[in-house]
Amino acid sequence: MAEPPPGHRRDAGRAARGGRAGGRPALVLRRASTQVPLLAAVLAVVVAGTTLLGTCVLLLTTAQDRALEQAIARAGPAEVDVTVGLRLAVPDAGDGAPDASDPPAVDAAQVVADATALVEDAFAPAPSSTSVWLASALQYLPATAADTLRLGYLLDAPGLEAAATLAAGRWPAPTATAADREVAVLTSTARALDLAPGDRVVLSPDPQHASEQADGASSPGSTEVGVVVVGTFTRAHDQDGAQGAWERDPLDGEGVDTSTGLIPAYGPFVVAPGTLPATEVPVGRVSLVVRPDLSDADADELVAMGPPSGSLRTDLTRTLGDAVSSTAVASPYPRTLADARTQQGITSSGVLVVALLGAALAATALGLAARLVAVRRAAEATLLVARGARRGQLVRQAAAESALLAALAAAAGVPLSLVTFRAVTALPWLAGAGLAGPASVTAPLVVAVASAALLLAALLVAPSVRPVDAGAHRRPRRGLVARSGTDVVLAAVAVAAYVQLRAHRVATGAEPDPVLVAAPLLVLLAGAVLVLRVLPWVSRLAEGHARASRGLVLPLAAWEVSRRPHSTAGAFLLILATAAATFGVSFTSTWWDSQADQAEAEVGTELVVDVTGAPVLAQGAAVAVATGGDVSPVTRRAIALGSRVGGGTEESTTQLLAVDTRRADALMRGRLPEGSWADVSAGLAPTTGGAGPLVPAAPTLDVTVTGAADDGTPLETVPGLLVEDAWGSRTLVVAATPVPLDGQPHTVPVPVGAVDGDPEVRVVGVELPLTLLAPQDVPWQSDITARVTATVDVPGAHLDAADALGTAGGWSEGRSPSDFGAVRNARATQAGSDDGVAVTATASVSLTTLLYADAAIVVTALPAAEELPVVVTEPVARELGLGTGAPLSLTVGGTTVEATVVGVAPYLPSVPRGPAVLADHDALSRALVARADLTSMTDTWWVAGLEDPAAAVAAAGDLGPTVTRADVTAELRDGPLRGALRAALWLLVVAAVGLALAGTAVHTATALDARAVEVARLQGLGVSRRSVVASFLAEHSAVTLVVVAAGTGVGAFTGWAVGPLLAVSATGRPPVPAAAFGWPWASQSVLVLGLVLGCAAVVVPVALRTVRRATVAHLRMDAS
Amino acid sequence: MSEPQRAGTSPVPGAPDGGSDAPPVPPMVTVRGVRRTYGAGRAAVHALRDVSLDVAPGELVALVGRSGSGKTTLLNIVGGLDRPDAGSVTVGGTEVTSLDEAGQVALRRDLVAFVFQTFGLVPVLSAAENVGVPLRLRRLAPADRERRVGLLLDLVGLGDHADQRPGELSGGQQQRVAIARALAASPRLLIADEPTGQLDSETGLAVMALIRAVVEAEGMTAIVSTHDPVMIALADRAVHLVDGQLTDG
């Protein structure tokens, strides 16, 4: 029988002296006492594995719960508030006279209380606050002179001041008597009804009565109500839900509804808060906004609360019964929760990938350790068997030892997991997301750690079941075939997982996605296994070269590498660990960059400012001054493409994006597969510059209009100027009062809205809507046409050089396709003088058509192209079969513009998904003006070139809602629901490096220890210690370098193939733009260098110790 | 000083007792008053006690003794693998006990070769590669090395087993590989520590005959420890070691 090495023999002897073989704790403990370093290393690996898994469990449970709580707590009102609209069973004016079939009177207070309780209960136990707006049933306003019926309503809206800006007068206050009720009205209502503070209005359910009471006197005992206007107001800008607030108004805050076929409605007449129920006017509509305070709700409560709109509506209908005639519910919370849980699921998938990779690494390290332990104990096992021990006894003995290790590891793993979790969540980005803090011991944590410890420790039993032949130097062919078969199967499964991942377009729901989880693990494992099979060829190649060498050191190292049995186990661990670590670093980079790319695509530029509450012409200067950046007006709205209207959602409706494409590279953000946005948008901008009189910026411009019809028909107009600011934003500013076209000059103020001192603005168009002052004098039976000429004198204006020289192209007609041909052949000229510039427009006007159609003379100084060049996104091109040169009809608002496709882009900035069309802002505006549509195309402002983005955002925040690329990027990267993934990836890297070094240490120590006899023999042959150490180091350096390189290759391949597919968007869909493989050279170099140096730090002392310990005593021992 | 030491001072075999005109041939190995103790105090084991011995060039000496008698310790000290606590050893005119580690390495590389009871082959190397190790230490050109390895393997009758690893060879074959390796660098002294200890008697006899043959063929000196009478008979003479002391046998 071969004689074992001294350590083995000593252990075996001690074990044998322990008494009868098998199962005795004393024997286990005595043996353990002789192998403390080895068992301590094994225990450390088990503890490391269980701690990693325990930490991942906490990241999957505690951290995710906190993330959900934080995400919901940070959600805005629009994502949480429940809005309930109830129409009470009360007839509006105009619904007909009351009769016996009308429902009985409704107790509005009771309806409000019941509805409020029902909605608030849905969020119990979280406290809620409820805002109630009450609108009266529609009442008749005093009829006009033409006996036109008009409707109005009262509105009781607490907190309205936050959604409105007082324009004149004051807000209404409660009054002592019903006769003096105070109201405030929107400026649009006031303008339409010619109301001003101090005016009195009567609202009545009786149209005749209202007409009779037009003088304002209400009769005692009637149900009509008289109100006094004490103030006028405008809607506030769209901040803090102000826009949403106006959706609760029956007229959406428009103030006027003159829809065809309906009685015109005006309102609201806003009464003092809480006073509507006290009036004689019945409450017709109730609008509830329930805002739950979810800041203290825990994750379980959050998941349980907030029923979807459908069920809440059903409950309300059932509870309120006949008191309401219709119920509408908007409950965004379930969607918000579902979105958050989807992100949770995606993050959980990533964390689970890390957990599985960590488990695989720990299992590999334990498998290696188990094998080394078995080799170390082979002699003991042989001796015990020789003394009559059965294999089962040895297995039981190993199991007892494993159970002890598992218990120790579990006992250590739980607190270490808690400590690690606390350390991980203290990382800045997780702490910033609100995830920091200690975790408590939970059942999932204990179960996971204990299970992991047991399973990992169970690996130590395996060699006892299937004993290790420590002396085997060449593997049996059957084993090789079996391993090859396993490799092929694993590779096939990995390929299948990869194919599945490629085809996987949307991550599944709130739970971890199995495809996202399995694919990287399988690809990494398969890659490591396959590379491991290639390494022997490499080593044999090296051996061939080494054989030709004269010396001994390198050939000996090469021989050891290529022929030493069991070195593949250590190599596999190092390959897998390196691959996992490099994959972790690579995927972190891929994911990280993808979030930035997605944020760029979503925002479209550096900073988006939606300026509200300020005239359009004051906005550009305000944004420019506040941000100090490169400012550009942008059109961003839904349009129809031909007959394609879309499905109502933003992603199914075609979105129009119009920006200043001359500055595309500066303004537009979003990574493209190739080229730049300037390339994409080339050819969209007009080639000709602007023209028209330049005017100093001012709040108001007094223009003088002189005009008349050649046949003397009395006409009037409300002159409008299309004014362009220095940033290219155009808006139509209209005179406050109409002007008669009677041949006399009439000066009228035009509220331009610009600010004194701002850069000059340019008048690029004039609109003269025509109204017949005596329509009864125009015969409708025949087409009467008159030549109308009007001159608009713009004081203080001047022409720039091109205009003055007459090279700017002159003025042209803006022809409306919807005026039924009322205005034809419009022409205009401009003439500059010291006092200003006069624009004279003339056109043939069909006076007959004016009887039934709105018409205006529109002339513009903007040269218009025949067709608008546009770029469409791939979804549009695919769906409509469009290619370059294809014609396209865009319906923008109510105007249809003919366009030509000049290019196809994968997506557009700010429109990452769905159909979209890109146009140049100037070209789009010109195209619309050419069709007499002078609507402002400035929906938002894009700002680029910011020197201090944070300061710019802070300053722009006063102007209106802002969205910044940086904020969206930060939210996508470090938001509460996202940060755990990055933490888990870094944990994977650390764990992989740690396990790699621990495995290398255990493997090297054991392997070199087993070679002490060989070292002694070499020294006996005359090989110096230095040469032996050099051979060891050469051997391990070569192995480490090759294996780490191979692992890096596997990690890089997995990162390249799988990483971009794993970097799904926050909604679980493929990101836009597609994620690009990230390979941060600096981090990867540090990682690889660290692994190599770490392995060297482990191997060098072990090699020195081994050589030092090799004595002549080893010469009498058997090398096996 | 105990009596058995005188046995070690026996003249070189073959040399006249006296009266010859030829100058005396210096011994290949001279051992004088070597002592070696393992451990200390009451646990001390006196492996060698004042051992003195001369071995003439070309002589094959059988070192006979039971297990634990100190044979391996003496061989290790002669071969520079161990150091005595007292006494001196000279091999081929080189004072071994005064050599530093580099000198000992050089001694084993150039002057002395070992054959171990456990064969001492490097398990991951083939027979030819094992034999080539001493030649690589001397940085022999690959072609010369291959030629010499082939010759030696043919010499020990294993020319057809050059590519087999020790685990694939029988015990006798492994020992023959060990002998071939020992001869590879043409040492002047061959030290064999129970070379037949793990072999059956027939194989052991063949190995011993091989050693006898190559010693004569290569003109080298050999010290072979054994307790097999057959092996002892093949030696020029036998010296007996009992409890760390040389005796007359």
Side-chain angles (χ1 to χ4, degrees), chain A residues 621 625 696-699 727 754-760:
Chain A
V625 169
W727 293 270
V755 177
D756 287 326
D758 283 351
E760 285 183 318

Side-chain angles (χ1 to χ4, degrees), chain B residues 39-219:
Chain B
R42 300 183 62 167
V45 175
H46 301 283
L48 295 175
R49 310 180 196 207
D50 284 332
V51 172
S52 296
L53 170 71
D54 285 339
V55 179
E59 186 181 21
L60 193 159
V61 174
L63 184 60
V64 183
R66 293 183 176 181
S67 293
S69 62
K71 302 189 297 292
T72 299
T73 302
L74 178 58
L75 293 179
N76 286 342
I77 288 173
V78 170
L81 288 174
D82 199 1
R83 292 179 186 277
D85 298 325
S88 66
V89 176
T90 303
V91 176
T94 301
E95 174 59 54
V96 175
T97 49
S98 64
L99 292 175
D100 59 9
E101 187 185 334
Q104 289 182 326
V105 168
L107 175 80
R108 294 194 294 272
R109 187 184 62 216
D110 301 330
L111 209 58
V112 181
F114 282 92
V115 174
F116 303 107
Q117 178 183 1
T118 54
F119 318 133
L121 301 179
V122 180
V124 297
L125 306 187
S126 68
E129 288 160 351
N130 265 290
V131 174
V133 166
L135 303 176
R136 286 181 176 275
L137 291 174
R138 292 190 164 196
R139 303 193 66 79
L140 208 62
D144 296 338
R145 183 182 67 229
E146 297 298 327
R147 190 165 47 250
R148 172 96 175 133
V149 167
L151 282 173
L152 288 167
L153 285 176
D154 286 340
L155 178 67
V156 298
L158 292 175
D160 296 335
H161 298 76
D163 293 331
Q164 289 181 284
R165 292 195 213 166
E168 298 162 344
L169 298 171
S170 69
Q173 288 173 322
Q174 287 186 56
Q175 195 59 293
R176 280 193 277 166
V177 173
I179 292 168
R181 184 181 64 183
L183 300 176
S186 302
R188 293 172 61 193
L189 173 64
L190 176 67
I191 297 175
D193 187 3
E194 302 209 31
T196 59
Q198 291 193 24
L199 306 177
D200 60 68
S201 57
E202 187 179 349
T203 307
L205 183 60
V207 166
M208 197 62 195
L210 176 63
I211 292 174
R212 171 81 261 178
V214 298
V215 165
E216 288 180 353
E218 300 281 330

